């Protein structure tokens, strides 16, 4: 795993463009080349970079990875009415225990673990709140207080029950809707990396909506060179996820609300900070960056030791 310097709190302004990462410029042999493949999914653009001397095989690997991404979207999308996630949400409050796919089970298990360790700062049960804020963005007005109250009453990770022996899930709160937006892209990156490895490609870099996952370093380098704020870091065999409000926010009544929702208050986060998390697990990096974004810098620093006793990760705050 690459190192992010000494991981200090960064106290300077910077500009960070999701999807415009500093991709490595490689000076290799005449055969090896850096091939880039792109595919839109999960509301963002996914990009795969592969170091390969066989462009046809690399293209086949990328296609297989993107096919897997499409299948994961069918499982985890909260936009598609026919997704497995929304079919599960439709059973909320019914008392049903629903058998879920291995992929959805894996994501929900990790989500619940992070929710417990962050006291609900990360919570995939916020789907009803998400829908209200999508409307708020379109209408440029805050959610109706009564609807917000109703959505909050249907939110809470403790209302999600997992039954490991049966791989079943029960949503105990009527009206609950699940939203995996804070973890699904990281999980998808990890699954796509496995596909690329099956094709024999280990020198890869995957990016989806600002979440990065690096494989082995290109020859002659100590890692893939990427931008984190105004700093350039080398990344290899590690994931890097960044959460903030640079591009997804709404301004209402003179206040700026992030697309990141605080599950306790139901409101979009208003503190103007950004956090990057680096670790070996791409889904974990995605979830932790979301949780820390909700908690803010001071609270995140208090919770970090608890989380680091279970997970190995580094994080850095970028303040404006």
């Amino acid at each position: 795993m690459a190192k992010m310097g000494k991981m200090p709190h960064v106290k300077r302004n910077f500009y960070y463009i999701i999807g415009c990462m500093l991709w490595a410029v490689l000076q290799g042999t005449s055969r090896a080349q850096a091939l880039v493949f792109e595919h839109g999914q999960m509301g963002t653009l996914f990009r795969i970079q592969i170091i390969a001397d066989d462009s046809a095989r690399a293209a086949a690997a990328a296609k297989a990875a993107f096919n897997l991404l499409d299948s994961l979207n069918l499982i985890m999308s909260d936009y598609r009415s026919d997704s497995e996630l929304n079919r599960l949400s439709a059973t909320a409050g019914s008392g049903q225990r629903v058998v879920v796919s291995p992929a959805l089970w894996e994501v929900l298990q990790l989500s619940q673990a992070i929710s417990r360790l962050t006291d609900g700062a990360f919570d995939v049960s916020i789907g009803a709140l998400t829908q209200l804020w999508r409307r708020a963005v379109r209408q440029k007005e805050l959610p109706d207080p009564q609807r917000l109250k109703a959505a909050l009453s249907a939110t809470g990770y403790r209302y999600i029950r997992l039954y490991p022996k049966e791989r079943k899930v029960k949503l105990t709160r009527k009206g609950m809707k699940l939203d995996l937006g804070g973890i699904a892209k990281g999980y998808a990156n990890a699954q796509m990396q496995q596909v690329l490895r099956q094709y024999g490609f280990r020198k890869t870099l995957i990016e989806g909506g600002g979440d990065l996952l690096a494989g082995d370093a290109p020859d002659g380098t100590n890692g893939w060179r990427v931008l984190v704020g105004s700093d350039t870091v080398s990344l290899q065999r590690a994931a890097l996820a960044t959460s903030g409000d640079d591009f997804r926010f709404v301004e209402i009544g003179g206040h700026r609300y992030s697309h990141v929702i605080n599950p306790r208050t139901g409101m979009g986060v208003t503190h103007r900070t950004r956090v990057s998390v680096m670790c070996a697990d791409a889904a974990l990096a995605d979830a932790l960056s979301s949780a820390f974004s909700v908690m803010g810098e001071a609270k995140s620093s208090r919770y970090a030791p608890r989380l680091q006793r279970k997970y190995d990760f580094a994080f850095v705050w970028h303040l404006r």
Side-chain angles (χ1 to χ4, degrees), residues 56-109:
R57 185 169 177 79
K63 182 178 179 180
F66 289 143
N67 285 343
L68 176 60
L69 174 63
D70 291 341
S71 69
L72 290 175
N73 187 62
L74 286 173
I75 293 171
M76 300 182 188
S77 173
D78 68 322
Y79 283 93
R80 296 182 60 116
S81 60
D82 60 345
S83 71
E84 182 182 1
L85 186 75
N86 277 337
R87 294 198 305 271
L88 175 60
S89 293
T91 69
S94 69
Q96 293 183 54
R97 296 186 183 185
V98 180
V99 178
V100 298
S101 64
L104 184 54
W105 175 260
E106 190 174 359
V107 168
L108 290 177
Q109 271 198 316

Side-chain angles (χ1 to χ4, degrees), residues 21 55 66 88 102 109-110 117 139 148 155 162 170 194 219 248 260-261 263 270 273 283 301 309:
M21 302 291 180
S55 59
F66 289 143
L88 175 60
Q109 271 198 316
L110 178 59
L117 288 169
Q139 302 296 325
L148 186 65
T155 301
L162 303 182
K170 180 168 71 172
Q194 289 186 22
D219 291 340
R248 297 181 61 189
V260 179
I261 298 171
T270 57
T273 56
S301 297
R309 283 194 290 270

Side-chain angles (χ1 to χ4, degrees), residues 120-131:
F122 180 79
D123 190 337
V124 299
S125 71
I126 62 169
L129 293 168
T130 301
Q131 290 186 349

Side-chain angles (χ1 to χ4, degrees), residues 280-303:
D281 187 321
L284 177 64
D286 197 3
L288 287 178
S289 67
S290 298
F292 289 158
S293 187
V294 167
M295 286 192 282
E297 183 186 14
K299 195 168 186 179
S300 295
S301 297
R302 294 198 301 271
Y303 272 75

Side-chain angles (χ1 to χ4, degrees), residues 4-5 8-18 20-22 225-234 240 242 246 274-276 316-320:
M4 219 185 265
H9 296 310
V10 179
K11 301 291 186 180
R12 58 180 179 272
N13 294 331
F14 71 100
Y15 192 56
Y16 176 86
I17 305 179
I18 295 175
C20 293
M21 302 291 180
L22 180 62
R225 305 288 288 174
V226 300
L227 287 176
V228 182
S230 58
D231 297 325
T232 302
V233 301
S234 295
L240 178 68
T242 299
D246 270 353
R274 186 185 301 104
V275 61
S276 295
V316 60
W317 280 92
H318 315 277
L319 304 183
R320 291 185 285 267

